[in-house]
Amino acid sequence: MQNTLSLASMRRMTVISAIMLLALALAACGFQLRGAADLSFKSLYIQGGKLSISRDLSRSFKTNGVQVVEKSEDAELLLELLSESNQKRIQSLSGGGLVREFELIYLLNFRVRHASSPTWGPVQTIRGRRDFSYSDDALLGKAEEEARLNSDMRNDAVRELLRRLTAIKPAAEQK
């Protein structure tokens, strides 16, 4: 009876040790959940045409406590979405001249300015790139994969735009 108790307690100690070791490894590697962006402004006006990322971008601003306003006079920062484009290039061909790989490219051009400044900042470009294999035998599956990759690149562009906006200092600090 004593052996079974000590065996059960040994197993319990082993499980607890493994969990603690896993938690320590996660903490040591620098893993951290993605939190709210540290933006220096609380109101934003978005101008330019409606792009495919506009809805996700507005949702991200709302999540981060930034109000997207309807008039530029009410905003601390102005964001102009200039253009976006999706490109698809052939990456490689088979010996018979059939496409085997594509390269997908997503480009987003934008610029920002503080409401107190009359001049816009330089045009910035966010670029996303993905490669994917292609086969005519799996046409529907590959079309779905392409759509998912394009969606992922748009989501990455929204996160990158937020990261770039966190680097913007308040207008009072720039003088």
Side-chain angles (χ1 to χ4, degrees), residues 36 125 163:
T125 301
R163 276 191 295 275

PDB file of all heavy atoms in Angstrom, residues 36 125 163:
ATOM      1  N   ALA A  36      -2.793  45.653 -26.328  1.00  0.00           N
ATOM      2  CA  ALA A  36      -3.229  46.873 -26.988  1.00  0.00           C
ATOM      3  C   ALA A  36      -2.012  47.687 -27.414  1.00  0.00           C
ATOM      4  O   ALA A  36      -0.987  47.703 -26.743  1.00  0.00           O
ATOM      5  CB  ALA A  36      -4.107  47.686 -26.050  1.00  0.00           C
ATOM      6  N   THR A 125       4.951  52.698 -47.240  1.00  0.00           N
ATOM      7  CA  THR A 125       4.435  51.505 -47.888  1.00  0.00           C
ATOM      8  C   THR A 125       4.610  50.309 -46.967  1.00  0.00           C
ATOM      9  O   THR A 125       5.676  50.103 -46.405  1.00  0.00           O
ATOM     10  CB  THR A 125       5.181  51.235 -49.210  1.00  0.00           C
ATOM     11  OG1 THR A 125       5.015  52.361 -50.069  1.00  0.00           O
ATOM     12  CG2 THR A 125       4.645  49.991 -49.905  1.00  0.00           C
ATOM     13  N   ARG A 163       1.573  49.259 -35.594  1.00  0.00           N
ATOM     14  CA  ARG A 163       2.935  49.343 -35.049  1.00  0.00           C
ATOM     15  C   ARG A 163       3.618  50.639 -35.482  1.00  0.00           C
ATOM     16  O   ARG A 163       4.301  51.287 -34.689  1.00  0.00           O
ATOM     17  CB  ARG A 163       3.778  48.148 -35.495  1.00  0.00           C
ATOM     18  CG  ARG A 163       3.594  46.919 -34.638  1.00  0.00           C
ATOM     19  CD  ARG A 163       4.637  45.862 -34.941  1.00  0.00           C
ATOM     20  NE  ARG A 163       4.540  45.321 -36.274  1.00  0.00           N
ATOM     21  CZ  ARG A 163       3.745  44.317 -36.626  1.00  0.00           C
ATOM     22  NH1 ARG A 163       2.964  43.755 -35.742  1.00  0.00           N
ATOM     23  NH2 ARG A 163       3.721  43.879 -37.864  1.00  0.00           N
TER      24      ARG A 163
END
